[in-house]
Amino acid sequence: MKTAVELTQLFRNTGRKVTAQRLCVWRLLEGNTSHPSAEVLFEEARRELETISLRTVYQVLRELEELGECMSLDLGTGASRFDPNVDAAHHHLVCTSCGKVRDLYADFPSVEAPKTGLDGFQVGSAEIVFRGTCAECKSNAGLNGSTRPKALVS
Amino acid sequence: MKTAVELTQLFRNTGRKVTAQRLCVWRLLEGNTSHPSAEVLFEEARRELETISLRTVYQVLRELEELGECMSLDLGTGASRFDPNVDAAHHHLVCTSCGKVRDLYADFPSVEAPKTGLDGFQVGSAEIVFRGTCAECKSNAGLNGSTRPKALVS
DNA sequence: TATTAGTTAACAATTATTGTTAAAAGTTAA
DNA sequence: TTAACTTTTAACAATAATTGTTAACTAATA
Ligand SMILES: [Mn+2]
Ligand SMILES: [Mn+2]
Ligand SMILES: [Zn+2]
Ligand SMILES: [Zn+2]
């Protein structure tokens, strides 16, 4: 999780220009634990930079991913979710009702692919996704019939 | 994992007609451990039923899912993958190179969401996805530069 | 056999994402 | 400050996976 200043260096060092858009997207992502989608970041970004385009947000996110400064998560919520926390190993809780994504910092030492019976499949990583219902959706249960993930409504 | 005969009963009992298409899709899925996509099932189905449409395959898959006879998995490989194994709890190995999906039957007793620190999030299920390289892709490494999942090419 | 459900074709639509192009604007090195 | 070079933007088009739609046709069942 780099600061905006560090990102500036990184952009320069990789031959990229330090633009308001790049900084803005990074600032919105830095330390953000909500795992926003590109759309959500776009909505937030245009509050600061009224003319920023969704296209640019996608481009910057891709770049940040290539630079190893964020990762995109496919959690089955429709859109990719972006996570700036690439350093600390962690897992995710996904609300199947609203699409909210929370971090779960817990070590599961037993989660390691067996050595045998893999038919030569070489395992690189293990992700655990816990699915369930977030507190908010639980208390709203029955009030409305909405099954549509709120976090994804454009 | 029901047999075709059992499925016939299920269709009848739920007021559905027993059609060649429904039976065909189920027959292709029954005991199938390859986690095929709808497209793949469609290609296979039309060998038996030349006139079957992709639309129908999607419809039948949805139905089977509603009936609890299969589940669709979103493993980040582009298309949903269908799994008839809804009874035995298991996890998946996903080849990041070709998109192949293998079952992993292993019990990870420690994988249980902590009771505390969840902010009221109620956890229902835990899926573990192991990502890596399948044997075939490992031996093909470097031969071609293909990063495109072969299993997904239409 | 009549009724009803299911299938097909042939499209349109949707969502998330990437591609494209040209013009405008911004960044940086000199 | 200027010139060169990148980026951004707008305005679309395109893609891939999936679902919606309609009408005609076909098949299953009572
Ligand atoms: Mn996270
Ligand atoms: Mn499986
Ligand atoms: Zn929720
Ligand atoms: Zn592979």
Side-chain angles (χ1 to χ4, degrees):
Chain A
M1 205 154 61
K2 287 197 171 59
T3 69
V5 176
E6 289 170 312
L7 244 277
T8 296
Q9 291 311 313
L10 183 57
F11 284 145
R12 289 238 168 82
N13 294 343
T14 55
R16 291 173 166 87
K17 293 187 171 174
V18 178
T19 67
Q21 291 81 353
R22 285 180 173 141
L23 291 176
C24 178
V25 171
W26 175 250
R27 202 162 351 90
L28 290 172
L29 214 44
E30 186 196 345
N32 188 328
T33 62
S34 73
H35 308 83
S37 65
E39 276 284 354
V40 165
L41 286 168
F42 171 57
E43 298 299 341
E44 290 175 11
R46 69 195 319 186
R47 282 190 216 134
E48 304 179 35
L49 272 168
E50 316 85 34
T51 68
I52 196 172
S53 71
L54 178 58
R55 193 74 192 74
T56 298
V57 172
Y58 272 113
Q59 261 159 212
V60 173
L61 286 170
R62 273 223 140 223
E63 266 187 326
L64 289 172
E65 207 180 340
E66 281 163 16
L67 292 170
E69 296 304 324
C70 80
M71 58 182 175
S72 101
L73 304 173
D74 191 342
L75 298 169
T77 56
S80 293
R81 309 290 286 257
F82 296 88
D83 194 337
N85 190 350
V86 292
D87 296 321
H90 65 286
H91 302 288
H92 295 104
L93 283 82
V94 180
C95 177
T96 53
S97 170
C98 71
K100 211 180 288 168
V101 178
R102 263 187 60 96
D103 285 329
L104 178 62
Y105 289 93
D107 192 25
F108 299 101
S110 81
V111 177
E112 208 174 295
K115 320 288 175 229
T116 62
L118 295 183
D119 288 342
F121 196 109
Q122 186 166 10
V123 173
S125 67
E127 319 159 14
I128 307 178
V129 176
F130 294 91
R131 296 189 195 274
T133 313
C134 75
E136 200 185 340
C137 286
K138 216 183 343 173
S139 60
N140 288 351
L143 296 187
N144 54 20
S146 171
T147 319
R148 192 89 46 77
K150 184 181 166 189
L152 297 171
V153 170
S154 56
Chain B
M1 203 154 61
K2 288 197 171 58
T3 70
V5 175
E6 290 170 312
L7 244 275
T8 295
Q9 292 310 315
L10 183 57
F11 284 145
R12 289 237 167 80
N13 294 344
T14 55
R16 290 172 167 90
K17 294 186 173 175
V18 179
T19 67
Q21 291 81 353
R22 284 180 174 142
L23 290 176
C24 177
V25 171
W26 176 250
R27 201 161 353 90
L28 290 172
L29 213 44
E30 186 197 345
N32 187 329
T33 61
S34 74
H35 308 85
S37 65
E39 276 283 354
V40 165
L41 287 168
F42 171 57
E43 298 299 340
E44 291 176 10
R46 68 197 318 187
R47 284 190 215 133
E48 304 179 33
L49 272 168
E50 315 85 35
T51 68
I52 196 173
S53 71
L54 178 57
R55 194 71 191 75
T56 297
V57 172
Y58 271 114
Q59 262 159 209
V60 173
L61 286 170
R62 271 223 142 223
E63 265 187 327
L64 289 172
E65 208 180 339
E66 282 163 15
L67 292 170
E69 295 304 324
C70 81
M71 58 182 175
S72 102
L73 305 173
D74 191 342
L75 298 168
T77 57
S80 292
R81 309 291 285 259
F82 296 87
D83 194 338
N85 190 351
V86 290
D87 297 320
H90 65 284
H91 301 286
H92 294 103
L93 281 81
V94 180
C95 177
T96 52
S97 171
C98 71
K100 210 179 291 166
V101 178
R102 263 187 60 96
D103 285 329
L104 178 62
Y105 289 93
D107 191 28
F108 300 100
S110 81
V111 176
E112 208 175 297
K115 320 287 176 232
T116 61
L118 296 182
D119 286 342
F121 196 110
Q122 187 166 8
V123 173
S125 67
E127 318 158 14
I128 308 178
V129 177
F130 294 91
R131 296 189 195 275
T133 313
C134 75
E136 200 185 339
C137 286
K138 217 182 345 174
S139 60
N140 290 351
L143 295 185
N144 54 20
S146 172
T147 318
R148 194 90 44 78
K150 183 181 168 189
L152 297 173
V153 170
S154 55

